[in-house]
Amino acid sequence: MCGIIGIVGHSNENIQQKLLNGLERLEYRGYDSSGIALLQNNSIVRFRAVGKLSNLKKLLDTAIIDGHVGIGHTRWATHGKPTENNAHPMMSKDVAVVHNGIIENHKELRFSLENDGYVFTSETDTEVIAHFLQRELVNGFSPLESMRNCMNAMDGAFAIAAIFVPLGNKIIAARRKSSLAVGFAEKNCTARIEKAAGDASICGNMCVGSDAGTLSGMCHEVAYMEDDDIVEISEDSVVFFDKNLHPVTRKKYKVHQDSDSAKKGEYSHFMLKEIMDQPTAIRKTLLHNKIDASLFTDIERISIVACGTSYYAGMVSKYWFERFLKIPTSVEIASEFRYRDPILEDNTLFISISQSGETLDTLAALEYVRSNSNCKTVGIVNVKNSATDRASDVVFYSEAGIEMGVASTKTYTAQLTLLASLALCKKEFLLQQLQNVPTFCESVLTLSAQIKQLAELISRSSSAIYLGRGTMFPIALEGALKLKEISYIHAEGFAAGEMKHGPIALIDEHVPIVLLCPNNELFEKTASNLQEALARGKNIIVITDVDGEKKMPNEVHKLVLPNVHSAIAPIVYAIPLQLLAYHTATIIGTDVDRPRNLAKSVTVE
Ligand code: M6R
């Protein structure tokens, strides 16, 4: 989940600012610390700072750097606390390394290196890479061979970029199970730069980074490294090698720019902008995804795997697939799925849902299915060309654009829209209803000020309970997750009917309860659960619709949404819960877009 970047600049180009720009785009992957290392006058200079990237920038304000080859890192701590010593780049004498992933056998490698006299200054697993590469150099191996030997010695998942003093102005990068993209400058760059009176910005740079989006502003094409690939990057060439150091070719893609999504515009936070963007994201998702029902021909079972918010989207879709397609559906958390020897029957459609397309657990589950079954694999992703996209037989894209806020909002409702399009593909009337969702969402977004008042109530509490039945149950779970993530208030979602089996003990006159109660076929049942809650608690917020409101007791706080068909209601009801979490967090004053301990893309187990 760390972000790594490496840039080979043009002669006389100082790439410090480009590295920082790249790190800014990578900060979504972790912001416990950051650092850069550059080759300068035949040696390596390194700068590291704890906390957000702004701290590194402050440090660099007073530094005089002149380097045109460098690497950078934003950290999401795994091994060792977020301290300066544990911040990347990690160094040995002539080597600096940035790393994303986990070296599972780092303890034994460290032991062997310490025995050989290498002194460790951090608690990280990454430092073994730096010393290992150094030891190989000392043993007479070239930097490329050193990287190969290091790869052969390491277990785990990793993406690495390294600079070596003896290699000069080049970067060597390698990966296994963690994504790494290589960016290409325009061809014949040097000649073009000369013509443009030395302006090195005109044709981009050869570079490497954790994702193609980060590189998009600084190169013209990208290629994705495959498992165990090693790449050597210089100013005007990129050479890929397989694990035996045989040159290989990798397909190049044009880079995709989405500059609008990367700007906050008039909004105070990306999260608010992204909540407000939802009608557009849903419209685009509907427009670009016309589902061919033959996808489900001969399918007897659907197996869905995902993590976090994407998992909750999968949970909602289970209700849809079973009700509207009559196909038995299971939904599972990816990190559980792959370690329990799942039974993969023929004629199962395997769906992995991942906004980033890079979540390691979800990818590993997909890999497991590909290696152990003949199931057709479907990917639901937001990021095109992501690892899930490349590894799935069939891919559907949510068209939400880049999501900058760590908390998923627009990508969640876009995923739900896509899953609804799949599940409703044989139901013409309901597909028509689905087309109305953006308009309903627009109307819900106008309730923001009212939701802010309700958020006052939640912000005064240390915990909150979210309840729903049917499709509203996973929506309640996601509402609770949103609140936890960005306000740090403890929140739990429960199936409303399950309360009496234990969780009801949590209710007292202080704890806020958010109850999702549209006027659907489960209304009476949910209303009974409301009475049970009212008998024991006081701060109850009911989110209902125009018809439901008429049947609500006076003692509750009501938020009234438009009447919508129950098949599409989950998408609409997700939105007030996002706003509730957002306003609560802003009242408390947390860092909404970069909540503590989290990262947008989770690329470790
Ligand atoms: O990129 P993915 O959809 O695979 O990510 C899965 C989860 O890490 C993600 O949904 C996470 O729970 C979000 N922070 C939720 O807001």
Side-chain angles (χ1 to χ4, degrees):
M1 14 228 283
C2 303
I4 71 174
I5 187 154
I7 304 174
V8 180
H10 303 287
S11 317
N12 302 326
E13 182 187 7
N14 185 343
I15 50 129
Q16 176 195 330
Q17 192 51 47
K18 284 188 176 171
L19 279 177
L20 290 176
N21 295 345
L23 289 182
E24 205 164 83
R25 301 190 70 154
L26 282 172
E27 217 186 355
Y28 74 90
R29 298 175 77 102
Y31 30 84
D32 291 338
S33 65
S34 56
I36 58 171
L38 297 101
L39 279 168
Q40 187 172 286
N41 303 329
N42 248 351
S43 65
I44 295 174
V45 288
R46 169 176 69 167
F47 299 86
R48 301 180 292 174
V50 176
K52 303 216 165 111
L53 185 64
S54 50
N55 296 345
L56 179 68
K57 286 183 180 164
K58 261 186 231 146
L59 179 76
L60 289 167
D61 275 349
T62 51
I64 300 166
I65 302 177
D66 183 18
H68 70 273
V69 176
I71 52 178
H73 190 264
T74 55
R75 179 164 186 247
W76 186 86
T78 57
H79 294 66
K81 288 194 181 306
T83 60
E84 188 176 328
N85 271 359
N86 289 333
H88 300 209
M90 286 293 148
M91 280 184 70
S92 200
K93 183 169 160 284
D94 296 320
V95 184
V97 174
V98 288
H99 161 226
N100 168 37
I102 291 178
I103 314 298
E104 284 168 359
N105 57 340
H106 70 104
K107 281 194 187 140
E108 60 197 75
L109 294 175
R110 187 175 180 127
F111 183 69
S112 130
L113 287 156
E114 280 175 338
N115 268 347
D116 285 350
Y118 288 88
V119 178
F120 282 72
T121 57
S122 78
E123 305 152 89
T124 65
D125 52 340
T126 306
E127 196 174 355
V128 299
I129 308 174
H131 293 311
F132 194 107
L133 292 172
Q134 180 68 39
R135 185 169 68 181
E136 297 305 285
L137 291 181
V138 171
N139 288 340
F141 291 100
S142 70
L144 207 51
E145 291 164 338
S146 302
M147 185 62 88
R148 177 207 50 200
N149 297 351
C150 186
M151 297 275 284
N152 287 341
M154 288 189 299
D155 296 332
F158 42 81
I160 304 165
I163 49 176
F164 301 76
V165 173
L167 185 66
N169 295 329
K170 292 182 184 177
I171 290 173
I172 292 183
R175 66 147 272 193
R176 181 182 299 152
K177 293 185 197 159
S178 290
S179 285
L180 206 49
V182 175
F184 295 80
E186 225 175 272
K187 281 202 179 114
N188 305 323
C189 225
T190 318
R192 282 235 305 139
I193 293 170
E194 272 163 23
K195 257 198 199 159
D199 178 4
S201 63
I202 60 162
C203 49
N205 294 98
M206 303 297 194
C207 47
V208 61
S210 298
D211 66 58
T214 297
L215 303 181
S216 63
M218 56 183 96
C219 64
H220 289 258
E221 288 174 311
V222 288
Y224 297 91
M225 292 177 69
E226 292 185 8
D227 261 354
D228 288 303
D229 274 1
I230 302 178
V231 67
E232 187 175 79
I233 305 169
S234 49
E235 181 185 348
D236 44 23
S237 77
V238 168
V239 187
F240 293 95
F241 300 93
D242 67 11
K243 60 181 172 194
N244 301 313
L245 292 188
H246 296 139
V248 284
T249 48
R250 296 292 171 236
K251 191 175 168 199
K252 290 187 197 171
Y253 300 83
K254 279 264 163 253
V255 287
H256 173 74
Q257 311 260 9
D258 178 3
S259 46
D260 280 356
S261 295
K263 289 187 197 123
K264 252 190 277 193
E266 73 205 67
Y267 294 99
S268 43
H269 296 99
F270 277 111
M271 183 179 176
L272 183 59
K273 174 174 186 255
E274 287 156 5
I275 290 173
M276 294 299 172
D277 271 353
Q278 289 178 107
T280 307
I282 294 169
R283 268 192 194 101
K284 279 194 188 165
T285 303
L286 288 170
L287 190 69
H288 291 274
N289 288 286
K290 303 288 173 234
I291 309 298
D292 183 346
S294 66
L295 179 70
F296 297 100
T297 306
D298 296 332
I299 293 298
E300 288 172 4
R301 209 161 279 282
I302 296 173
S303 166
I304 301 176
V305 163
C307 302
T309 294
S310 298
Y311 168 68
Y312 294 140
M315 274 182 83
V316 175
S317 74
K318 172 184 163 70
Y319 290 82
W320 286 332
F321 284 126
E322 295 196 336
R323 176 163 298 174
F324 301 116
L325 284 179
K326 304 282 176 236
I327 303 179
T329 302
S330 66
V331 192
E332 198 163 347
I333 291 170
S335 55
E336 290 299 316
F337 174 86
R338 69 196 183 102
Y339 291 118
R340 68 165 177 86
D341 300 324
I343 296 163
L344 298 163
E345 291 162 319
D346 284 354
N347 297 342
T348 298
L349 189 68
F350 178 82
I351 304 182
S352 61
I353 309 172
S354 176
Q355 180 284 127
S356 60
E358 301 289 348
T359 299
L360 190 83
D361 287 320
T362 311
L363 266 172
L366 170 57
E367 192 44 50
Y368 180 93
V369 171
R370 288 175 63 88
S371 312
N372 294 286
S373 79
N374 298 318
C375 300
K376 186 189 268 186
T377 58
V378 172
I380 305 256
V381 300
N382 192 53
V383 179
K384 293 185 180 141
N385 289 327
S386 56
T388 302
D389 181 350
R390 286 175 277 133
S392 306
D393 296 327
V394 181
V395 184
F396 297 101
Y397 302 108
S398 50
E399 298 285 344
I402 300 172
E403 191 172 64
M404 302 293 286
V406 162
S408 305
T409 53
K410 62 175 180 173
T411 57
Y412 174 56
T413 48
Q415 281 170 346
L416 287 173
T417 303
L418 196 39
L419 289 160
S421 306
L422 287 166
L424 302 177
C425 67
K426 297 182 181 169
K427 304 278 175 196
E428 202 43 55
F429 170 72
L430 294 178
L431 280 177
Q432 284 308 318
Q433 296 296 316
L434 195 56
Q435 296 296 326
N436 299 331
V437 167
T439 312
F440 287 129
C441 293
E442 273 157 5
S443 129
V444 172
L445 289 170
T446 64
L447 302 175
S448 183
Q450 196 191 338
I451 295 173
K452 191 170 181 181
Q453 286 171 3
L454 297 170
E456 291 284 351
L457 200 148
I458 306 237
S459 70
R460 291 194 288 272
S461 178
S462 58
S463 65
I465 293 173
Y466 286 66
L467 302 175
R469 274 177 178 260
T471 50
M472 291 296 141
F473 165 44
I475 296 297
L477 292 175
E478 166 61 8
L481 175 65
K482 237 29 354 139
L483 188 72
K484 280 185 265 214
E485 275 187 299
I486 59 167
S487 75
Y488 317 146
I489 291 174
H490 177 243
E492 293 298 333
F494 299 105
E498 185 65 10
M499 282 299 283
K500 53 191 176 291
H501 299 289
I504 201 162
L506 295 170
I507 299 183
D508 60 18
E509 57 181 18
H510 305 294
V511 63
I513 299 170
V514 181
L515 179 85
L516 301 170
C517 193
N519 187 39
N520 61 15
E521 60 283 4
L522 292 170
F523 180 85
E524 299 304 338
K525 304 278 173 210
T526 317
S528 301
N529 300 136
L530 170 60
Q531 289 303 331
E532 291 154 11
L534 258 180
R536 294 160 177 90
K538 213 166 78 180
N539 293 323
I540 303 182
I541 299 170
V542 176
I543 306 185
T544 184
D545 51 28
V546 176
D547 288 347
E549 194 220 353
K550 295 177 197 148
K551 300 184 253 176
M552 280 297 148
N554 290 332
E555 308 93 286
V556 299
H557 303 273
K558 284 167 244 162
L559 185 73
V560 184
L561 311 191
N563 289 335
V564 297
H565 193 287
S566 66
I568 56 165
I571 313 175
V572 179
Y573 277 68
I575 291 179
L577 299 189
Q578 297 167 348
L579 283 167
L580 197 58
Y582 172 77
H583 288 307
T584 306
T586 52
I587 292 167
I588 295 173
T590 55
D591 187 343
V592 171
D593 286 333
R594 298 271 183 275
R596 71 183 180 203
N597 302 340
L598 297 179
K600 182 90 189 147
S601 180
V602 182
T603 55
V604 293
E605 282 202 57

